[in-house]
Amino acid sequence: MPYHHEKQAIGFLIGYYRQKNHISRKDLLEQAQNTCFSCSPKTLVRIEKGIVSKNEIFYCSLCYQLHMTYVLNDKLLSELCHYGKRLLKILPFGSNYHLELLLKTVNEKIDHYDHVIYIYERLLLYKAVLELSLYEKLPAKEVLDIFYFLNHLLCKEDKELIFFLFMYPAIRKKAFKDIYEQWSIYQNKPLFFGYYLESIISSHSLLDAYCLLQDIQLHHSLTILENILLLSAMALLEEKGNDAVSAYGTMKNCLNYLYHDLCDSLKAHVFIQSAVLAYDLNLYEECIQYFLSVISLNMIFIKESSLLFFHVLERTHRQDLLKKYLFKTDFSQFEDETTKKIFAYYSMKYKEKASYVQREQMICNDLKHLSQQLLYKDILLEELLDIISVTGHYKCLYRFMI
């Protein structure tokens, strides 16, 4: 029977909205009789329990009495599946830019299908997840009630998004015990896997965390996304353990998965992590190639790692390439102020020919917070020492170091 699962969900929703509006079954059927397409009380009970009726007229009539529309077709359902899968792809590493684009599309669809039963509720789910991710806006209780009500009838992608909504408080509070316990129950939730790995790394010693990740690798059947997240986390721990060679080898294995259909933001994350490790091993040309791979996806993904990109281009005397990307990039496209300031600094250096004092002040005032990461601290310190050798402002060095 076509649309069996969808009709099951619609039946449950008819019962949900009937009760929410305090309409008895008897009253609903009496209203439906006016359309000449009323079903029997027994049939209504069966429909509300998710037992599918072959007569679609019953669904149309019952929805009409609840001031809703019944519409199901392959094109519309295919669009919904696309939104759910797209959201799962971009959510773990998605930039705000791509999340906001998807939210805009979903909002437009909601305006168009706001009275279409089942279609509206699924779109509402995508909107709730996007607004929670972008603005930490929690959906209203009645909206969560709908998702809880429908959870067992939706596709696996939508179930995972519902799971994300209900577990978000634990994720926000970094309630590692809850995250650990919930993942052990829902091991088929790749979206949640990244938070589970974070909970392991944050709540165990480096060695214990690495052993736990190895255990997952050996004893669990993982999706492509989960393998990428796991290898990335293992490489991070290897790097923290001062074993950059092993970490780079792990990321090489991770790169093998990028031939699959994955979101660009996730690919960019892997390329950037690989670029940092290549730089640590003095593999400067490989480092540059990884950054060029990021740029080929979209320049917005480079973020604060642009500081390393420009630095390694200078170190390899590739100022021509540096100027090429610097001069043709619109700084306003970046989401965060730090990236804008990095580009502004190098623009001052190569395009505007700003004074040494201006560059000195920018490093000490606008970019100093980057020094919390050792790699970026070394790069900025090298820049600052070159400037101070001209200005003689050694107090700036003191300000930068404290």
Side-chain angles (χ1 to χ4, degrees), residues 132-386:
L132 187 60
S133 302
L134 284 166
Y135 317 122
E136 296 194 354
K137 179 182 177 183
L138 290 168
K141 183 182 180 301
E142 64 179 30
V143 174
L144 288 174
D145 286 344
I146 294 173
F147 301 149
Y148 183 80
F149 198 70
L150 285 179
N151 185 44
H152 67 293
L153 293 170
L154 297 176
C155 62
K156 65 177 183 178
E157 290 84 7
D158 286 4
K159 286 179 181 178
E160 189 170 337
L161 293 171
I162 290 172
F163 182 71
F164 172 77
L165 280 179
F166 281 96
M167 281 305 298
Y168 191 80
I171 293 167
R172 262 320 263 128
K173 294 175 184 175
K174 296 189 180 296
F176 299 125
K177 185 174 183 293
D178 291 343
I179 292 171
Y180 183 90
E181 289 175 351
Q182 290 298 322
W183 188 82
S184 67
I185 298 171
Y186 299 97
Q187 289 184 14
N188 62 334
K189 307 287 184 187
L191 174 62
F192 199 60
F193 186 67
Y195 297 110
Y196 171 64
L197 296 179
E198 182 184 344
S199 75
I200 290 176
I201 293 171
S202 302
S203 56
H204 293 83
S205 68
L206 192 149
L207 181 59
D208 287 345
Y210 192 78
C211 290
L212 285 169
L213 298 192
Q214 282 186 318
D215 183 70
I216 293 170
Q217 188 179 41
L218 292 172
H219 299 108
H220 291 277
S221 178
L222 302 177
T223 65
I224 291 168
L225 172 60
E226 288 171 337
N227 271 301
I228 291 173
L229 295 177
L230 180 64
L231 290 169
S232 175
M234 292 177 75
L236 179 65
L237 292 176
E238 287 165 343
E239 184 185 13
K240 286 183 177 179
N242 296 317
D243 189 357
V245 174
S246 294
Y248 191 53
T250 300
M251 289 310 298
K252 285 279 193 180
N253 292 332
C254 192
L255 287 162
N256 292 331
Y257 288 100
L258 297 194
Y259 295 102
H260 296 275
D261 182 24
L262 299 164
C263 70
D264 288 346
S265 54
L266 176 57
K267 292 180 181 179
H269 169 82
V270 174
F271 285 134
I272 290 171
Q273 190 173 355
S274 301
V276 171
L277 290 167
Y279 177 82
D280 288 343
L281 296 170
N282 299 325
L283 301 173
Y284 299 139
E285 286 302 323
E286 290 186 34
C287 177
I288 291 170
Q289 289 307 312
Y290 288 130
F291 276 119
L292 293 179
S293 295
V294 174
I295 293 169
S296 70
L297 296 171
N298 196 319
M299 179 63 91
I300 66 169
F301 295 131
I302 199 166
K303 299 182 181 178
E304 64 186 32
S305 67
S306 54
L307 180 63
L308 175 59
F309 177 52
F310 290 145
H311 175 73
V312 76
L313 287 176
E314 287 184 324
R315 179 162 286 193
T316 54
H317 308 293
R318 303 285 296 278
Q319 282 84 353
D320 56 333
L321 194 59
L322 188 157
K323 292 176 184 178
K324 173 187 172 182
Y325 288 108
L326 180 66
F327 293 173
K328 74 175 187 179
T329 301
D330 176 13
F331 303 175
S332 64
Q333 70 178 300
F334 297 114
E335 299 167 358
D336 61 293
E337 290 300 315
T338 297
T339 308
K340 292 177 183 177
K341 288 173 181 175
I342 290 169
F343 272 78
Y345 172 80
Y346 280 94
S347 180
M348 288 170 62
K349 186 174 181 179
Y350 286 98
K351 189 176 181 181
E352 300 167 14
K353 302 295 182 182
S355 70
Y356 284 100
V357 173
Q358 287 176 300
R359 287 166 51 199
E360 186 179 75
Q361 290 174 345
M362 192 165 192
I363 290 175
C364 292
N365 297 328
D366 298 328
L367 298 175
K368 182 183 175 182
H369 65 282
L370 286 171
S371 65
Q372 294 173 5
Q373 299 182 54
L374 183 60
L375 173 61
Y376 296 148
K377 181 178 181 179
D378 290 344
I379 294 172
L380 291 172
L381 185 59
E382 187 175 321
E383 282 286 317
L384 191 57
L385 287 172
D386 285 344

Side-chain angles (χ1 to χ4, degrees), residues 19 45 95 103 149 211 247 283 342 349 388 391:
Q19 294 175 64
V45 171
S95 66
L103 178 59
F149 198 70
C211 290
L283 301 173
I342 290 169
K349 186 174 181 179
I388 290 172
T391 64

